[in-house]
Amino acid sequence: MVSAQLPADPCIVLVGATGALGATVLELIVEHRMRHREIRLVASARSAGRRIPVGGRAETVHDLEEFDFAGADLVLFCAGEEVSRRWVPVAMAEGALVVDASGAFSSHPEIPLVVPSVNDRLLTERPAEVVAVPSGMTVPLTVLLHAVERWRGVRHAVLSTYEAASGLGHQGVDELLDGAELTLSDPGAELPADRFRPALAFNVLPAVDRILENGASRQEQRLVQEARRVLELPDMDVAVTCVRVPVVSGHGATLFVETDAPVDRPELVELLSSLPDFVVHEGEDLGSAPTPLTAGDPDRFHVGRVRVGPHTSRGFLLWLVFDNLRAGGASTLLRIARIALASRASGERPKSLPR
Ligand SMILES: NC(=O)c1ccc[n+]([C@@H]2O[C@H](COP(=O)([O-])OP(=O)(O)OC[C@H]3O[C@@H](n4cnc5c(N)ncnc54)[C@H](OP(=O)(O)O)[C@@H]3O)[C@@H](O)[C@H]2O)c1
Protein backbone atom coordinates (compact mmCIF):
# COMPACT_ATOMS: atom_id res chain seq x y z
CA MET A 1 0.00 0.00 0.00
CA VAL A 2 1.12 3.56 -0.61
CA SER A 3 1.54 5.99 2.28
CA ALA A 4 -1.15 8.45 3.44
CA GLN A 5 0.85 11.41 2.15
CA LEU A 6 0.30 11.67 -1.57
CA PRO A 7 3.12 13.07 -3.70
CA ALA A 8 2.73 16.48 -5.30
CA ASP A 9 3.22 14.83 -8.68
CA PRO A 10 0.96 11.78 -8.52
CA CYS A 11 1.00 8.71 -10.70
CA ILE A 12 -2.40 8.90 -12.44
CA VAL A 13 -4.21 5.91 -13.90
CA LEU A 14 -7.06 6.60 -16.31
CA VAL A 15 -9.41 3.64 -16.79
CA GLY A 16 -11.53 4.09 -19.91
CA ALA A 17 -8.90 6.27 -21.58
CA THR A 18 -10.14 5.45 -25.09
CA GLY A 19 -13.76 6.41 -24.38
CA ALA A 20 -15.57 9.70 -24.93
CA LEU A 21 -15.22 10.83 -21.31
CA GLY A 22 -11.73 9.36 -20.83
CA ALA A 23 -10.40 11.12 -23.96
CA THR A 24 -11.86 14.40 -22.68
CA VAL A 25 -10.26 13.90 -19.26
CA LEU A 26 -6.93 13.33 -20.97
CA GLU A 27 -7.42 16.45 -23.08
CA LEU A 28 -8.03 18.51 -19.92
CA ILE A 29 -5.10 17.01 -17.99
CA VAL A 30 -2.85 18.22 -20.81
CA GLU A 31 -4.66 21.55 -21.32
CA HIS A 32 -4.57 22.40 -17.58
CA ARG A 33 -1.04 21.06 -17.22
CA MET A 34 -2.22 18.97 -14.28
CA ARG A 35 0.91 17.86 -12.47
CA HIS A 36 1.77 14.16 -12.57
CA ARG A 37 4.95 12.12 -12.64
CA GLU A 38 3.39 9.39 -14.74
CA ILE A 39 0.12 8.69 -16.50
CA ARG A 40 -1.03 5.16 -17.30
CA LEU A 41 -3.84 4.58 -19.77
CA VAL A 42 -6.13 1.59 -19.37
CA ALA A 43 -9.06 0.25 -21.41
CA SER A 44 -10.36 -3.13 -22.56
CA ALA A 45 -8.42 -5.79 -24.46
CA ARG A 46 -9.94 -4.26 -27.63
CA SER A 47 -7.71 -1.20 -27.28
CA ALA A 48 -4.65 -2.76 -25.63
CA GLY A 49 -1.44 -1.69 -27.37
CA ARG A 50 -2.96 1.43 -28.93
CA ARG A 51 -0.73 4.50 -28.60
CA ILE A 52 -2.38 7.76 -27.58
CA PRO A 53 -0.59 11.13 -27.63
CA VAL A 54 -0.48 12.79 -24.20
CA GLY A 55 1.18 16.20 -24.19
CA GLY A 56 3.81 15.37 -26.80
CA ARG A 57 4.43 11.75 -25.70
CA ALA A 58 2.72 8.63 -26.99
CA GLU A 59 1.37 6.48 -24.15
CA THR A 60 0.41 2.83 -24.58
CA VAL A 61 -3.07 1.63 -23.62
CA HIS A 62 -3.03 -1.32 -21.19
CA ASP A 63 -5.60 -4.09 -20.90
CA LEU A 64 -7.45 -3.70 -17.59
CA GLU A 65 -7.56 -7.48 -17.07
CA GLU A 66 -3.76 -7.55 -16.94
CA PHE A 67 -3.16 -4.18 -15.30
CA ASP A 68 -1.34 -3.80 -11.98
CA PHE A 69 -2.55 -0.80 -9.91
CA ALA A 70 0.51 -0.95 -7.61
CA GLY A 71 2.17 2.47 -7.35
CA ALA A 72 -0.90 4.40 -8.55
CA ASP A 73 -1.78 7.48 -6.48
CA LEU A 74 -4.93 8.58 -8.30
CA VAL A 75 -7.17 6.29 -10.35
CA LEU A 76 -9.90 7.85 -12.48
CA PHE A 77 -12.64 5.42 -13.51
CA CYS A 78 -14.45 6.34 -16.75
CA ALA A 79 -15.40 2.92 -18.10
CA GLY A 80 -18.94 2.16 -16.96
CA GLU A 81 -20.64 0.77 -13.86
CA GLU A 82 -19.71 -2.88 -14.34
CA VAL A 83 -16.02 -2.09 -14.67
CA SER A 84 -16.11 0.17 -11.60
CA ARG A 85 -17.91 -2.40 -9.43
CA ARG A 86 -15.28 -4.98 -10.18
CA TRP A 87 -12.10 -2.87 -10.32
CA VAL A 88 -12.55 0.03 -7.87
CA PRO A 89 -11.94 -2.26 -4.86
CA VAL A 90 -8.79 -3.57 -6.56
CA ALA A 91 -7.40 -0.04 -7.06
CA MET A 92 -8.37 0.88 -3.48
CA ALA A 93 -6.60 -2.16 -2.11
CA GLU A 94 -3.39 -0.74 -3.58
CA GLY A 95 -3.95 2.46 -1.60
CA ALA A 96 -4.87 4.69 -4.54
CA LEU A 97 -7.35 7.53 -4.29
CA VAL A 98 -10.23 6.61 -6.62
CA VAL A 99 -12.52 9.06 -8.38
CA ASP A 100 -15.37 7.24 -10.07
CA ALA A 101 -17.47 8.76 -12.85
CA SER A 102 -19.59 5.68 -13.59
CA GLY A 103 -22.41 6.27 -11.11
CA ALA A 104 -21.86 2.81 -9.59
CA PHE A 105 -21.38 4.27 -6.10
CA SER A 106 -23.57 7.36 -6.23
CA SER A 107 -25.95 5.99 -3.57
CA HIS A 108 -23.32 4.18 -1.47
CA PRO A 109 -23.77 5.60 2.05
CA GLU A 110 -20.05 5.58 2.88
CA ILE A 111 -18.78 7.04 -0.37
CA PRO A 112 -19.05 10.80 -0.74
CA LEU A 113 -20.96 12.05 -3.78
CA VAL A 114 -19.47 15.43 -4.45
CA VAL A 115 -20.41 18.54 -6.42
CA PRO A 116 -17.64 21.15 -6.20
CA SER A 117 -18.79 24.39 -4.54
CA VAL A 118 -21.89 22.66 -3.11
CA ASN A 119 -20.64 19.89 -0.80
CA ASP A 120 -16.89 19.49 -1.37
CA ARG A 121 -16.50 20.16 2.36
CA LEU A 122 -17.20 16.39 2.65
CA LEU A 123 -13.69 15.88 1.29
CA THR A 124 -12.00 18.53 3.38
CA GLU A 125 -13.73 17.37 6.58
CA ARG A 126 -12.74 13.73 6.03
CA PRO A 127 -10.24 12.60 3.39
CA ALA A 128 -11.79 9.94 1.19
CA GLU A 129 -10.41 6.80 -0.46
CA VAL A 130 -13.05 6.85 -3.16
CA VAL A 131 -15.22 9.69 -4.35
CA ALA A 132 -18.29 9.37 -6.57
CA VAL A 133 -18.81 11.90 -9.35
CA PRO A 134 -22.52 12.65 -9.94
CA SER A 135 -24.23 12.61 -13.31
CA GLY A 136 -23.30 15.65 -15.40
CA MET A 137 -26.86 16.97 -15.11
CA THR A 138 -26.79 16.72 -11.29
CA VAL A 139 -23.94 19.24 -11.19
CA PRO A 140 -25.67 22.39 -12.54
CA LEU A 141 -29.00 21.31 -11.02
CA THR A 142 -27.56 21.16 -7.49
CA VAL A 143 -25.45 24.30 -7.86
CA LEU A 144 -28.61 26.18 -8.92
CA LEU A 145 -30.92 24.71 -6.29
CA HIS A 146 -28.31 25.15 -3.55
CA ALA A 147 -28.10 28.87 -4.31
CA VAL A 148 -31.86 29.38 -4.68
CA GLU A 149 -32.63 27.39 -1.51
CA ARG A 150 -30.48 29.78 0.54
CA TRP A 151 -31.88 32.83 -1.29
CA ARG A 152 -35.67 32.38 -1.54
CA GLY A 153 -36.23 28.74 -0.51
CA VAL A 154 -37.09 25.95 -2.96
CA ARG A 155 -40.67 24.67 -2.65
CA HIS A 156 -40.71 22.55 -5.78
CA ALA A 157 -38.52 22.04 -8.86
CA VAL A 158 -39.28 20.55 -12.28
CA LEU A 159 -36.39 19.60 -14.56
CA SER A 160 -36.81 18.46 -18.18
CA THR A 161 -33.63 17.35 -19.91
CA TYR A 162 -32.71 17.20 -23.61
CA GLU A 163 -29.71 14.88 -23.63
CA ALA A 164 -27.25 14.42 -26.49
CA ALA A 165 -26.05 11.17 -28.05
CA SER A 166 -22.53 11.54 -26.62
CA GLY A 167 -24.03 10.93 -23.18
CA LEU A 168 -23.77 7.29 -24.31
CA GLY A 169 -20.17 7.67 -25.42
CA HIS A 170 -18.55 6.96 -28.76
CA GLN A 171 -21.02 4.26 -29.69
CA GLY A 172 -23.97 6.58 -29.09
CA VAL A 173 -22.50 9.21 -31.40
CA ASP A 174 -21.61 6.64 -34.07
CA GLU A 175 -25.12 5.20 -34.03
CA LEU A 176 -26.73 8.63 -34.37
CA LEU A 177 -24.43 9.64 -37.26
CA ASP A 178 -24.80 6.29 -39.06
CA GLY A 179 -28.60 6.50 -38.69
CA ALA A 180 -28.68 10.08 -40.00
CA GLU A 181 -26.51 9.23 -43.00
CA LEU A 182 -28.57 6.16 -43.81
CA THR A 183 -31.87 8.08 -43.57
CA LEU A 184 -30.58 10.81 -45.87
CA SER A 185 -29.54 8.32 -48.50
CA ASP A 186 -32.60 6.05 -48.07
CA PRO A 187 -35.54 7.53 -46.09
CA GLY A 188 -37.17 4.08 -45.75
CA ALA A 189 -34.05 2.29 -44.47
CA GLU A 190 -34.14 0.32 -41.23
CA LEU A 191 -31.85 2.15 -38.82
CA PRO A 192 -29.39 0.69 -36.31
CA ALA A 193 -30.96 0.77 -32.83
CA ASP A 194 -28.52 -0.93 -30.46
CA ARG A 195 -27.66 2.02 -28.20
CA PHE A 196 -30.93 3.92 -28.74
CA ARG A 197 -34.27 2.19 -29.16
CA PRO A 198 -36.06 3.23 -31.31
CA ALA A 199 -33.36 4.80 -33.45
CA LEU A 200 -32.40 8.37 -32.51
CA ALA A 201 -31.68 9.88 -35.94
CA PHE A 202 -34.33 12.53 -36.76
CA ASN A 203 -36.23 11.39 -33.67
CA VAL A 204 -36.76 12.32 -30.00
CA LEU A 205 -36.83 9.59 -27.35
CA PRO A 206 -39.04 10.18 -24.30
CA ALA A 207 -36.68 8.44 -21.85
CA VAL A 208 -32.96 8.15 -21.15
CA ASP A 209 -31.88 4.68 -19.97
CA ARG A 210 -34.36 1.94 -19.08
CA ILE A 211 -37.76 2.44 -17.43
CA LEU A 212 -38.04 1.15 -13.87
CA GLU A 213 -41.03 -0.53 -12.20
CA ASN A 214 -42.13 2.78 -10.66
CA GLY A 215 -42.43 4.35 -14.14
CA ALA A 216 -39.37 6.60 -13.83
CA SER A 217 -36.36 6.01 -16.03
CA ARG A 218 -33.08 5.02 -14.38
CA GLN A 219 -31.60 8.41 -15.27
CA GLU A 220 -34.60 10.27 -13.80
CA GLN A 221 -34.37 8.29 -10.58
CA ARG A 222 -30.61 8.84 -10.41
CA LEU A 223 -30.95 12.62 -10.82
CA VAL A 224 -33.57 12.91 -8.07
CA GLN A 225 -31.60 10.70 -5.67
CA GLU A 226 -28.31 12.44 -6.38
CA ALA A 227 -29.78 15.95 -6.04
CA ARG A 228 -31.41 15.10 -2.70
CA ARG A 229 -28.21 13.50 -1.43
CA VAL A 230 -25.84 16.29 -2.52
CA LEU A 231 -28.14 18.99 -1.14
CA GLU A 232 -28.85 16.96 2.02
CA LEU A 233 -32.57 17.53 1.44
CA PRO A 234 -33.93 13.96 1.45
CA ASP A 235 -37.52 15.08 0.94
CA MET A 236 -36.89 17.76 -1.66
CA ASP A 237 -39.84 17.97 -4.06
CA VAL A 238 -38.21 17.59 -7.48
CA ALA A 239 -39.75 16.11 -10.64
CA VAL A 240 -37.55 15.09 -13.55
CA THR A 241 -38.19 13.97 -17.14
CA CYS A 242 -35.17 12.97 -19.24
CA VAL A 243 -35.43 13.04 -23.03
CA ARG A 244 -32.81 12.00 -25.60
CA VAL A 245 -32.48 14.31 -28.61
CA PRO A 246 -30.57 13.80 -31.87
CA VAL A 247 -27.76 16.19 -30.95
CA VAL A 248 -24.19 14.88 -31.16
CA SER A 249 -22.92 16.57 -27.99
CA GLY A 250 -24.14 19.11 -25.44
CA HIS A 251 -27.02 18.53 -23.03
CA GLY A 252 -29.91 21.00 -22.66
CA ALA A 253 -32.56 21.32 -19.94
CA THR A 254 -35.39 23.51 -18.76
CA LEU A 255 -35.79 24.12 -15.04
CA PHE A 256 -38.82 25.50 -13.23
CA VAL A 257 -38.32 26.36 -9.57
CA GLU A 258 -41.19 27.36 -7.31
CA THR A 259 -39.81 29.37 -4.40
CA ASP A 260 -41.09 30.19 -0.92
CA ALA A 261 -40.76 33.92 -1.44
CA PRO A 262 -41.34 36.19 -4.49
CA VAL A 263 -38.52 36.48 -7.01
CA ASP A 264 -37.22 39.69 -8.51
CA ARG A 265 -35.75 39.03 -11.98
CA PRO A 266 -32.71 41.37 -11.80
CA GLU A 267 -31.79 39.91 -8.43
CA LEU A 268 -32.19 36.40 -9.79
CA VAL A 269 -29.92 37.19 -12.76
CA GLU A 270 -27.35 38.63 -10.36
CA LEU A 271 -27.51 35.46 -8.26
CA LEU A 272 -27.13 33.20 -11.31
CA SER A 273 -24.24 35.30 -12.64
CA SER A 274 -22.43 34.93 -9.32
CA LEU A 275 -22.45 31.13 -9.45
CA PRO A 276 -19.07 29.55 -10.12
CA ASP A 277 -18.75 28.27 -13.70
CA PHE A 278 -22.10 29.70 -14.80
CA VAL A 279 -22.62 32.15 -17.66
CA VAL A 280 -25.95 33.96 -18.02
CA HIS A 281 -26.88 34.86 -21.59
CA GLU A 282 -29.23 37.83 -21.71
CA GLY A 283 -30.95 39.33 -24.76
CA GLU A 284 -34.36 39.78 -26.31
CA ASP A 285 -33.89 37.76 -29.48
CA LEU A 286 -33.89 33.96 -29.60
CA GLY A 287 -30.37 33.99 -31.07
CA SER A 288 -28.99 35.20 -27.74
CA ALA A 289 -30.05 32.04 -25.90
CA PRO A 290 -27.25 29.46 -25.63
CA THR A 291 -27.47 26.20 -27.60
CA PRO A 292 -25.23 23.11 -27.69
CA LEU A 293 -23.55 24.46 -30.83
CA THR A 294 -23.29 28.13 -29.87
CA ALA A 295 -23.03 28.34 -26.06
CA GLY A 296 -19.28 29.05 -25.97
CA ASP A 297 -16.91 28.09 -23.12
CA PRO A 298 -17.19 24.27 -22.91
CA ASP A 299 -16.11 24.20 -19.26
CA ARG A 300 -19.00 26.30 -18.01
CA PHE A 301 -22.77 25.98 -17.62
CA HIS A 302 -24.79 28.31 -19.82
CA VAL A 303 -28.14 29.76 -18.77
CA GLY A 304 -30.62 31.70 -20.92
CA ARG A 305 -34.31 32.59 -21.19
CA VAL A 306 -34.52 33.47 -17.48
CA ARG A 307 -38.20 34.18 -16.86
CA VAL A 308 -40.09 35.31 -13.77
CA GLY A 309 -43.86 35.08 -14.20
CA PRO A 310 -46.18 35.70 -16.00
CA HIS A 311 -48.00 32.87 -14.18
CA THR A 312 -46.36 33.18 -10.79
CA SER A 313 -43.95 35.56 -9.09
CA ARG A 314 -42.93 32.89 -6.59
CA GLY A 315 -40.57 31.14 -8.90
CA PHE A 316 -38.82 31.23 -12.24
CA LEU A 317 -37.99 29.30 -15.41
CA LEU A 318 -34.69 29.00 -17.21
CA TRP A 319 -32.95 27.18 -20.03
CA LEU A 320 -29.64 25.46 -19.39
CA VAL A 321 -27.01 24.14 -21.81
CA PHE A 322 -23.61 22.59 -21.20
CA ASP A 323 -20.97 20.39 -22.76
CA ASN A 324 -21.68 17.02 -21.13
CA LEU A 325 -18.17 15.74 -21.78
CA ARG A 326 -16.31 18.85 -20.55
CA ALA A 327 -18.32 20.91 -18.01
CA GLY A 328 -20.62 18.07 -16.94
CA GLY A 329 -17.98 15.32 -17.10
CA ALA A 330 -14.23 15.85 -17.28
CA SER A 331 -13.98 19.32 -15.69
CA THR A 332 -16.08 18.26 -12.71
CA LEU A 333 -14.18 14.99 -12.32
CA LEU A 334 -10.79 16.73 -12.32
CA ARG A 335 -11.95 19.42 -9.90
CA ILE A 336 -13.11 16.71 -7.52
CA ALA A 337 -9.82 14.85 -7.99
CA ARG A 338 -7.80 17.97 -7.15
CA ILE A 339 -9.81 18.69 -3.98
CA ALA A 340 -9.65 15.04 -2.87
CA LEU A 341 -5.90 14.82 -3.58
CA ALA A 342 -5.22 18.00 -1.60
CA SER A 343 -7.33 16.74 1.27
CA ARG A 344 -5.59 13.35 1.34
CA ALA A 345 -2.16 14.92 1.08
CA SER A 346 -2.80 17.08 4.12
CA GLY A 347 -5.00 14.79 6.21
CA GLU A 348 -5.18 11.48 7.96
CA ARG A 349 -5.76 8.45 5.81
CA PRO A 350 -9.18 6.84 6.47
CA LYS A 351 -8.83 3.73 8.59
CA SER A 352 -11.18 1.37 6.77
CA LEU A 353 -11.99 0.65 3.14
CA PRO A 354 -15.68 1.28 2.47
CA ARG A 355 -17.26 -1.62 0.59
N1 LIG B 1 -20.37 10.47 -22.02
C1 LIG B 1 -20.65 11.36 -21.06
O1 LIG B 1 -21.16 12.48 -21.29
C2 LIG B 1 -20.35 11.01 -19.61
C3 LIG B 1 -20.37 12.03 -18.66
C4 LIG B 1 -20.14 11.70 -17.32
C5 LIG B 1 -19.91 10.35 -16.98
N2 LIG B 1 -19.89 9.40 -17.95
C6 LIG B 1 -19.64 8.01 -17.53
O2 LIG B 1 -18.33 7.65 -17.97
C7 LIG B 1 -18.29 6.26 -18.29
C8 LIG B 1 -17.74 6.10 -19.71
O3 LIG B 1 -18.63 6.73 -20.59
P1 LIG B 1 -18.21 7.13 -22.07
O4 LIG B 1 -19.29 7.99 -22.55
O5 LIG B 1 -16.81 7.61 -22.14
O6 LIG B 1 -18.31 5.70 -22.82
P2 LIG B 1 -17.48 5.14 -24.05
O7 LIG B 1 -17.16 6.18 -25.05
O8 LIG B 1 -18.26 3.95 -24.51
O9 LIG B 1 -16.11 4.63 -23.41
C9 LIG B 1 -16.05 3.51 -22.57
C10 LIG B 1 -14.62 3.32 -22.11
O10 LIG B 1 -14.59 2.23 -21.19
C11 LIG B 1 -13.72 1.21 -21.67
N3 LIG B 1 -14.26 -0.09 -21.32
C12 LIG B 1 -15.48 -0.59 -21.62
N4 LIG B 1 -15.59 -1.85 -21.14
C13 LIG B 1 -14.42 -2.14 -20.54
C14 LIG B 1 -13.91 -3.28 -19.86
N5 LIG B 1 -14.62 -4.38 -19.69
N6 LIG B 1 -12.65 -3.22 -19.37
C15 LIG B 1 -11.90 -2.11 -19.52
N7 LIG B 1 -12.32 -0.99 -20.16
C16 LIG B 1 -13.56 -1.02 -20.65
C17 LIG B 1 -13.69 1.41 -23.16
O11 LIG B 1 -12.52 0.79 -23.67
P3 LIG B 1 -12.45 0.23 -25.19
O12 LIG B 1 -12.23 1.44 -26.06
O13 LIG B 1 -11.27 -0.66 -25.15
O14 LIG B 1 -13.73 -0.47 -25.47
C18 LIG B 1 -13.66 2.93 -23.25
O15 LIG B 1 -12.37 3.40 -22.96
C19 LIG B 1 -19.72 5.73 -18.10
O16 LIG B 1 -19.83 5.17 -16.82
C20 LIG B 1 -20.57 6.99 -18.18
O17 LIG B 1 -21.77 6.87 -17.45
C21 LIG B 1 -20.08 9.69 -19.25
Coordinates of all heavy atoms in Angstrom, one line a residue, residues 135-173:
S135 N -23.9 12.4 -11.9 CA -24.2 12.6 -13.3 C -24.0 14.1 -13.7 O -24.2 15.0 -12.9 CB -25.7 12.3 -13.5 OG -26.3 13.0 -14.5
G136 N -23.6 14.3 -14.9 CA -23.3 15.6 -15.4 C -24.5 16.6 -15.2 O -24.3 17.8 -14.9
M137 N -25.7 16.1 -15.3 CA -26.9 17.0 -15.1 C -27.1 17.3 -13.6 O -27.6 18.4 -13.3 CB -28.1 16.2 -15.7 CG -29.3 17.0 -15.9 SD -29.2 18.4 -17.0 CE -29.3 17.7 -18.6
T138 N -26.6 16.4 -12.7 CA -26.8 16.7 -11.3 C -26.0 18.0 -10.9 O -26.3 18.7 -10.0 CB -26.3 15.5 -10.5 OG1 -27.1 14.4 -10.8 CG2 -26.5 15.7 -9.0
V139 N -24.9 18.2 -11.6 CA -23.9 19.2 -11.2 C -24.6 20.6 -11.3 O -24.8 21.3 -10.3 CB -22.6 19.1 -12.0 CG1 -21.7 20.3 -11.6 CG2 -21.9 17.8 -11.7
P140 N -25.0 21.1 -12.5 CA -25.7 22.4 -12.5 C -27.0 22.4 -11.8 O -27.3 23.5 -11.2 CB -25.9 22.6 -14.0 CG -25.9 21.3 -14.7 CD -25.0 20.4 -13.8
L141 N -27.7 21.3 -11.8 CA -29.0 21.3 -11.0 C -28.8 21.6 -9.5 O -29.5 22.5 -8.9 CB -29.7 19.9 -11.2 CG -31.0 19.7 -10.4 CD1 -32.1 20.7 -10.9 CD2 -31.4 18.3 -10.4
T142 N -27.8 21.0 -8.9 CA -27.6 21.2 -7.5 C -26.9 22.5 -7.2 O -27.2 23.1 -6.2 CB -26.7 20.0 -6.9 OG1 -25.5 19.9 -7.7 CG2 -27.5 18.7 -6.8
V143 N -26.0 23.0 -8.1 CA -25.4 24.3 -7.9 C -26.6 25.4 -7.9 O -26.6 26.2 -7.0 CB -24.4 24.6 -8.9 CG1 -23.9 26.1 -8.8 CG2 -23.2 23.7 -8.8
L144 N -27.5 25.2 -8.8 CA -28.6 26.2 -8.9 C -29.5 26.1 -7.7 O -29.9 27.1 -7.1 CB -29.4 25.9 -10.2 CG -28.8 26.4 -11.5 CD1 -29.5 25.7 -12.7 CD2 -29.1 27.9 -11.6
L145 N -30.0 24.9 -7.4 CA -30.9 24.7 -6.3 C -30.3 25.1 -4.9 O -31.0 25.6 -4.1 CB -31.5 23.3 -6.3 CG -32.3 22.9 -7.5 CD1 -32.8 21.4 -7.3 CD2 -33.5 23.8 -7.6
H146 N -29.0 24.8 -4.8 CA -28.3 25.1 -3.5 C -28.4 26.7 -3.3 O -28.7 27.1 -2.2 CB -26.9 24.7 -3.7 CG -26.0 24.9 -2.5 ND1 -26.2 24.4 -1.3 CD2 -24.8 25.7 -2.4 CE1 -25.3 24.8 -0.4 NE2 -24.4 25.6 -1.1
A147 N -28.1 27.4 -4.4 CA -28.1 28.9 -4.3 C -29.5 29.4 -4.1 O -29.7 30.3 -3.2 CB -27.5 29.5 -5.6
V148 N -30.5 28.9 -4.8 CA -31.9 29.4 -4.7 C -32.5 29.0 -3.3 O -33.2 29.8 -2.7 CB -32.7 28.8 -5.8 CG1 -34.2 29.3 -5.7 CG2 -32.2 29.3 -7.2
E149 N -32.1 27.8 -2.8 CA -32.6 27.4 -1.5 C -32.2 28.4 -0.4 O -33.0 28.8 0.4 CB -32.1 26.0 -1.2 CG -32.3 25.5 0.2 CD -33.8 25.2 0.6 OE1 -34.6 25.2 -0.3 OE2 -34.0 25.1 1.8
R150 N -31.0 28.8 -0.5 CA -30.5 29.8 0.5 C -31.0 31.2 0.3 O -31.0 32.0 1.2 CB -28.9 29.8 0.6 CG -28.4 28.5 1.2 CD -26.9 28.5 1.2 NE -26.3 28.7 -0.1 CZ -25.1 28.9 -0.4 NH1 -24.2 29.0 0.6 NH2 -24.6 29.1 -1.6
W151 N -31.5 31.5 -0.9 CA -31.9 32.8 -1.3 C -33.4 33.1 -1.1 O -33.8 34.0 -0.3 CB -31.5 33.1 -2.8 CG -31.8 34.4 -3.4 CD1 -31.4 35.6 -2.9 CD2 -32.6 34.6 -4.5 NE1 -31.9 36.6 -3.8 CE2 -32.7 36.0 -4.7 CE3 -33.4 33.8 -5.4 CZ2 -33.4 36.6 -5.8 CZ3 -34.0 34.3 -6.4 CH2 -34.0 35.7 -6.6
R152 N -34.2 32.2 -1.7 CA -35.7 32.4 -1.5 C -36.4 31.1 -1.1 O -37.6 31.1 -0.9 CB -36.3 32.8 -2.9 CG -35.9 34.2 -3.3 CD -36.6 35.3 -2.4 NE -36.3 36.6 -2.8 CZ -35.2 37.3 -2.4 NH1 -34.4 36.8 -1.5 NH2 -35.0 38.6 -2.8
G153 N -35.6 30.0 -0.9 CA -36.2 28.7 -0.5 C -36.8 28.0 -1.7 O -37.5 28.6 -2.6
V154 N -36.5 26.7 -1.8 CA -37.1 25.9 -3.0 C -38.3 25.2 -2.5 O -38.2 24.3 -1.6 CB -36.0 25.0 -3.5 CG1 -36.7 24.0 -4.6 CG2 -34.9 25.7 -4.1
R155 N -39.5 25.4 -3.0 CA -40.7 24.7 -2.6 C -40.8 23.4 -3.5 O -41.2 22.4 -3.1 CB -41.9 25.6 -2.8 CG -43.1 25.0 -2.3 CD -44.2 26.0 -2.2 NE -44.0 27.0 -1.1 CZ -44.9 27.9 -0.8 NH1 -46.0 28.1 -1.5 NH2 -44.6 28.8 0.2
H156 N -40.4 23.6 -4.8 CA -40.7 22.5 -5.8 C -39.9 22.8 -7.0 O -39.7 24.0 -7.4 CB -42.2 22.6 -6.1 CG -42.7 21.7 -7.2 ND1 -42.6 20.3 -7.1 CD2 -43.2 21.9 -8.4 CE1 -43.1 19.8 -8.1 NE2 -43.5 20.7 -9.0
A157 N -39.3 21.8 -7.6 CA -38.5 22.0 -8.9 C -38.9 21.0 -9.9 O -39.2 19.9 -9.6 CB -37.0 21.9 -8.6
V158 N -39.0 21.5 -11.2 CA -39.3 20.5 -12.3 C -38.2 20.7 -13.3 O -38.0 21.8 -13.9 CB -40.6 20.9 -12.9 CG1 -40.9 19.9 -14.1 CG2 -41.8 20.9 -11.9
L159 N -37.5 19.6 -13.6 CA -36.4 19.6 -14.6 C -36.8 18.7 -15.7 O -37.2 17.6 -15.6 CB -35.1 19.0 -13.9 CG -33.9 18.9 -14.8 CD1 -33.2 20.3 -14.9 CD2 -32.9 17.9 -14.3
S160 N -36.6 19.3 -17.0 CA -36.8 18.5 -18.2 C -35.5 18.5 -19.0 O -35.1 19.6 -19.3 CB -37.9 19.0 -19.0 OG -39.1 19.1 -18.3
T161 N -34.9 17.3 -19.2 CA -33.6 17.4 -19.9 C -33.8 17.0 -21.4 O -34.7 16.3 -21.8 CB -32.7 16.4 -19.2 OG1 -33.0 15.0 -19.6 CG2 -32.7 16.5 -17.7
Y162 N -32.8 17.5 -22.2 CA -32.7 17.2 -23.6 C -31.3 16.7 -23.8 O -30.4 17.5 -24.0 CB -33.0 18.5 -24.4 CG -34.4 19.1 -24.1 CD1 -34.5 19.9 -23.0 CD2 -35.5 18.8 -24.9 CE1 -35.7 20.4 -22.6 CE2 -36.7 19.3 -24.6 CZ -36.8 20.2 -23.4 OH -38.1 20.7 -23.1
E163 N -31.1 15.4 -23.7 CA -29.7 14.9 -23.6 C -29.2 14.4 -25.0 O -29.8 13.7 -25.7 CB -29.7 13.8 -22.6 CG -30.1 14.3 -21.2 CD -30.0 13.3 -20.1 OE1 -29.0 12.5 -20.1 OE2 -30.8 13.4 -19.2
A164 N -27.9 14.7 -25.2 CA -27.2 14.4 -26.5 C -26.8 13.0 -26.6 O -26.6 12.3 -25.6 CB -26.1 15.4 -26.6
A165 N -26.5 12.6 -27.8 CA -26.1 11.2 -28.1 C -24.7 10.8 -27.4 O -24.5 9.7 -26.9 CB -25.9 10.9 -29.6
S166 N -23.8 11.8 -27.2 CA -22.5 11.5 -26.6 C -22.6 11.2 -25.1 O -21.7 10.8 -24.6 CB -21.6 12.7 -26.8 OG -22.0 13.8 -26.1
G167 N -23.8 11.4 -24.6 CA -24.0 10.9 -23.2 C -23.9 9.4 -23.1 O -23.6 8.9 -22.0
L168 N -24.0 8.7 -24.3 CA -23.8 7.3 -24.3 C -22.4 7.0 -25.0 O -22.3 5.9 -25.5 CB -24.9 6.6 -25.0 CG -26.1 6.1 -24.2 CD1 -27.0 5.2 -24.9 CD2 -25.6 5.4 -22.9
G169 N -21.5 7.9 -25.0 CA -20.2 7.7 -25.4 C -20.0 7.6 -26.9 O -20.9 7.9 -27.7
H170 N -18.9 7.0 -27.3 CA -18.5 7.0 -28.8 C -19.6 6.2 -29.5 O -20.0 6.6 -30.6 CB -17.2 6.3 -28.9 CG -16.0 7.1 -28.6 ND1 -16.0 8.5 -28.8 CD2 -14.8 6.8 -28.0 CE1 -14.8 9.0 -28.4 NE2 -14.1 8.0 -27.9
Q171 N -20.1 5.1 -28.9 CA -21.0 4.3 -29.7 C -22.4 5.0 -29.9 O -23.0 4.8 -30.9 CB -21.3 2.9 -29.0 CG -20.1 2.0 -29.1 CD -20.3 0.7 -28.3 OE1 -21.4 0.3 -28.0 NE2 -19.2 0.1 -27.9
G172 N -22.7 5.8 -28.9 CA -24.0 6.6 -29.1 C -23.9 7.6 -30.2 O -24.8 7.7 -31.1
V173 N -22.7 8.2 -30.3 CA -22.5 9.2 -31.4 C -22.5 8.5 -32.7 O -23.1 8.9 -33.7 CB -21.2 10.0 -31.2 CG1 -20.9 10.9 -32.4 CG2 -21.3 10.8 -29.9

